[in-house]
Amino acid sequence: MSHPQEISYEATRLNIPLPGSFEDAVWRYESLVPPLNDSEIKSLSESRAPWNSYVEQAERNAPRFVIDKPSSHFDSYRRREIAQVGSELDQKVACLIALMGAPVPVSLR
């Protein structure tokens, strides 16, 4: 029986500032992707949390889009056909970022 292995690889994390307010970013994102599970916000509301709890929640979800570049994961398999899937996902992420009105990182173009 073989043993588990741990393989380290490098990933590229993208942190993209989004234009407009938090509400604008949420609206654009939710119009482009499946809805957000807002149970944490509901929980704050139901517990009658103080205003600073809402502010902290908003800061944690500031209008930024943070994602690991898909190809940086798929490239680690060192197989051309798998790496190609990562490149295709890079293009889809680039399209989503552009549709949200944010600058597309050069590494995704």
Side-chain angles (χ1 to χ4, degrees):
M1 174 183 241
S2 63
H3 298 283
Q5 294 179 334
E6 182 176 304
I7 300 169
S8 297
Y9 65 94
E10 184 176 315
T12 302
R13 174 136 316 147
L14 306 169
N15 186 339
I16 301 130
L18 300 175
S21 68
F22 173 74
E23 290 80 13
D24 293 338
V26 169
W27 181 85
R28 281 191 307 277
Y29 184 80
E30 288 181 349
S31 71
L32 297 168
V33 298
L36 170 70
N37 179 349
D38 58 356
S39 61
E40 190 171 349
I41 299 290
K42 286 180 183 177
S43 176
L44 289 173
S45 180
E46 290 168 356
S47 69
R48 298 183 180 231
W51 180 247
N52 67 331
S53 296
Y54 289 92
V55 172
E56 289 169 6
Q57 173 69 15
E59 287 174 353
R60 284 194 303 274
N61 294 295
R64 298 189 77 75
F65 189 77
V66 178
I67 185 172
D68 287 350
K69 184 178 173 189
S71 63
S72 67
H73 292 284
F74 287 85
D75 287 348
S76 69
Y77 290 100
R78 295 189 176 109
R79 293 193 56 193
R80 191 175 63 84
E81 60 273 16
I82 295 173
Q84 184 176 352
V85 171
S87 295
E88 291 169 7
L89 290 172
D90 284 353
Q91 293 303 306
K92 292 179 183 290
V93 168
C95 183
L96 175 62
I97 292 167
L99 288 170
M100 291 185 69
V104 177
V106 173
S107 66
L108 287 178
R109 295 183 191 153

